[in-house]
Amino acid sequence: MPSRAPETRYAKSGDINIAYQVVGEGPLDLVLVPGFVSHLELDWDDSGHARFLERLASFSRLIRFDKRGTGLSDRPGGLPDLETRMADVRAVLDTVGSERAALFGYSEGGPMSCLFAATFPERTSALVLYGSYAKRQDPDEDYPWAATQAERLAYAEEVERTWGEESDLGRMAPNADEAMRRWWNARARASASPGAARDLILMNSQIDVRHVLPAITVPTLVLHRSGDVDSRVDEGRYLARKIAGARFLELPGEAHVPWVDSDQIVDEVEEFLTGARPAPEADRVLATVLFTDIVGSTELAARLGDRSWRELLERHHALVRRELIRYRGDERDTAGDGFFATFDGPARAIRCAHAIVDGVNELGLEVRAGLHTGECELIGEKVGGIAVHTGARVAAQAGPGEVVVSSTVKDLVAGSGLEFEDRGVHELNGVPD
């Protein structure tokens, strides 16, 4: 799990434990109501899914949960109806102290979100629906897009047969790469058994919330991708047409899941909920870079042997990541026994470096660390530029158990209470001035 994943906790809904996470400190509460199955912790293992969650948490206090019978929540046998799912959401909201929240229901999460918004308008500030529908089975003149009962049965049997190998990915994200495919199938196996996946499909086939839609009075945004083959774009239009005052927005693309090309979706959600469209991400940003590596790692690895060294290295990595979480650092790269991380505050970066240096002593290791603050280039998920090279060269000046910083860092933390020892002027290889 990436270092950014929050802690999983549990809310009591009757006799059932509902797993939930809270991330972000924004001014509004936002409940993400998942489709089909979810897994709170494995969701963070896919970079696209993690970015989707981080974007939502950037402007909200994001509240997530695994519905009963799936993911990390209790699996009491059988699957819940919409009323029971609503009670579970209320239990989570009560536990985290949320009196009123916006609901973001995608795919299967949409119908329950509609019912919740209509039933508890005093607890619902707004409603966002993505890739969703009003009913799944038995087409009629009013709703011709639903599948027949025979088609739903065949679909359920196919999903059960290929669960953990295909897991319906062809409909959810037709252009998924191999990395996403591996993650998706591992997440599916951990989230539900093949039989539970089948039963969930059959139970959802009975859902019909058409009569609920006119009773929704909260501000509503309906998003749908034009090429979605799981839920047709006309189903999104239907939802918006039946909910008074709802805004409908059709987006290009084929992916049903919202974390593929998620900025396209989250930009609209953020503007709808906050009234402000997010500013384009800067190509350059001021950051403090931290480099660490283990002193004498080659000799130590040779002395311990491959297996023991690997186990020790795993403990070292776990400790470093724990401290990065504690001091809000972003892990950028890991190569062998070294870490590269960035921070938005130099004082926290220094304290994190000291915590790492002190912590690894208990493992019988010595680490050196170096820090520099400067303007960094953002290249997708990567960070580059002269500031990064400078930080690496500064780290090379550190001895065993030392934290060395550039004068830039020292100047920026004046008044922080941190104490420094002057190491003089050094010429850093490849770094001007």
Side-chain angles (χ1 to χ4, degrees):
M1 190 187 344
S3 61
R4 54 188 170 226
E7 185 176 356
T8 300
R9 298 182 180 276
Y10 292 89
K12 202 76 170 182
S13 180
D15 296 328
I16 302 301
N17 294 288
I18 304 299
Y20 73 88
Q21 290 181 349
V22 178
V23 58
E25 300 176 352
L28 64 95
D29 285 351
L30 175 60
V31 180
L32 184 63
V33 183
F36 200 25
V37 298
S38 60
H39 194 290
L40 291 176
E41 295 182 352
L42 293 184
D43 284 348
W44 293 92
D45 284 350
D46 175 70
S47 59
H49 200 296
R51 175 171 174 77
F52 170 61
L53 299 177
E54 289 171 338
R55 278 291 316 275
L56 293 175
S58 70
F59 61 85
S60 74
R61 183 172 72 135
L62 179 63
I63 302 165
R64 306 175 55 227
F65 67 98
D66 287 334
K67 61 176 172 278
R68 68 169 67 195
T70 66
L72 296 172
S73 292
D74 281 349
R75 304 185 184 186
L79 291 165
D81 56 20
L82 294 186
E83 183 177 348
T84 304
R85 292 188 199 175
M86 285 201 304
D88 293 344
V89 172
R90 291 181 67 190
V92 172
L93 291 177
D94 290 343
T95 301
V96 303
S98 177
E99 296 182 359
R100 202 158 185 254
L103 266 61
F104 181 175
Y106 64 88
S107 188
E108 179 199 306
M112 194 285 293
S113 299
C114 289
L115 185 57
F116 191 100
T119 308
F120 304 108
E122 74 281 0
R123 301 204 68 172
T124 309
S125 60
L127 176 63
V128 176
L129 302 171
Y130 165 75
S132 196
Y133 51 84
K135 66 175 297 188
R136 290 265 80 176
Q137 183 175 290
D138 301 324
D140 56 27
E141 185 176 345
D142 179 61
Y143 205 90
W145 314 284
T148 65
Q149 183 180 28
E151 288 170 335
R152 290 295 290 177
L153 284 170
Y155 172 53
E157 291 172 359
E158 173 69 11
V159 169
E160 180 184 18
R161 185 179 64 81
T162 63
W163 193 247
E165 300 175 4
E166 165 60 23
S167 311
D168 203 29
L169 184 58
R171 285 166 63 119
M172 301 295 107
N175 299 313
D177 59 20
E178 185 56 33
M180 182 178 177
R181 187 174 300 276
R182 288 194 302 270
W183 165 78
W184 175 269
N185 286 318
R187 174 180 180 264
R189 291 189 294 269
S191 299
S193 68
R198 174 203 63 221
D199 292 346
L200 192 56
I201 290 172
L202 295 178
M203 186 193 68
N204 288 332
S205 298
Q206 309 304 315
I207 290 175
D208 185 347
V209 295
R210 288 179 293 176
H211 63 287
V212 170
L213 303 179
I216 297 174
T217 58
V218 302
T220 301
L221 173 66
V222 181
L223 302 167
H224 220 104
R225 283 185 171 134
S226 56
D228 191 331
V229 298
D230 183 79
S231 299
R232 304 294 179 180
V233 68
D234 284 334
E235 297 182 77
R237 293 194 185 100
Y238 180 95
L239 291 169
R241 190 166 63 248
K242 294 294 184 177
I243 300 173
R247 179 190 175 205
F248 176 74
L249 185 60
E250 181 176 343
L251 303 170
E254 298 179 335
H256 178 64
V257 295
W259 55 85
V260 172
D261 195 14
S262 62
D263 287 346
Q264 176 195 51
I265 295 167
V266 181
D267 284 352
E268 302 298 337
V269 174
E270 182 173 354
E271 182 176 15
F272 173 67
L273 294 178
T274 69
R277 195 167 187 87
E281 290 189 1
D283 292 328
R284 302 181 69 84
V285 63
L286 186 71
T288 299
V289 299
L290 164 66
F291 285 87
T292 71
D293 73 312
I294 298 174
V295 177
S297 58
T298 303
E299 295 81 0
L300 186 57
R303 187 170 74 251
L304 292 176
D306 290 343
R307 181 175 179 179
S308 295
W309 170 245
R310 185 171 60 253
E311 291 175 352
L312 182 59
L313 203 58
E314 288 175 355
R315 294 171 64 192
H316 164 270
H317 283 22
L319 184 149
V320 173
R321 288 179 173 130
R322 186 167 63 246
E323 297 301 338
L324 288 176
I325 293 173
R326 180 183 172 193
Y327 291 97
R328 304 205 307 273
D330 289 321
E331 179 183 334
R332 296 295 183 174
D333 196 10
T334 308
D337 61 1
F339 273 79
F340 165 39
T342 59
F343 296 77
D344 57 16
R348 276 189 287 103
I350 294 172
R351 292 187 172 101
C352 181
H354 276 292
I356 291 170
V357 168
D358 293 342
V360 298
N361 284 336
E362 298 180 5
L363 304 179
L365 296 173
E366 286 188 310
V367 165
R368 61 175 140 243
L371 301 99
H372 176 63
T373 299
E375 192 177 45
C376 298
E377 294 180 12
L378 300 179
I379 311 163
E381 294 293 317
K382 300 293 185 180
V383 178
I386 190 64
V388 175
H389 295 296
T390 302
R393 297 293 185 266
V394 169
Q397 303 295 316
E402 288 186 338
V403 176
V404 176
V405 307
S406 67
S407 58
T408 304
V409 175
K410 175 183 177 295
D411 293 341
L412 289 172
V413 298
S416 66
L418 293 166
E419 296 182 0
F420 299 87
E421 178 183 329
D422 190 357
R423 280 292 184 86
V425 178
H426 292 258
E427 183 176 341
L428 304 181
N429 184 32
V431 177
D433 302 323

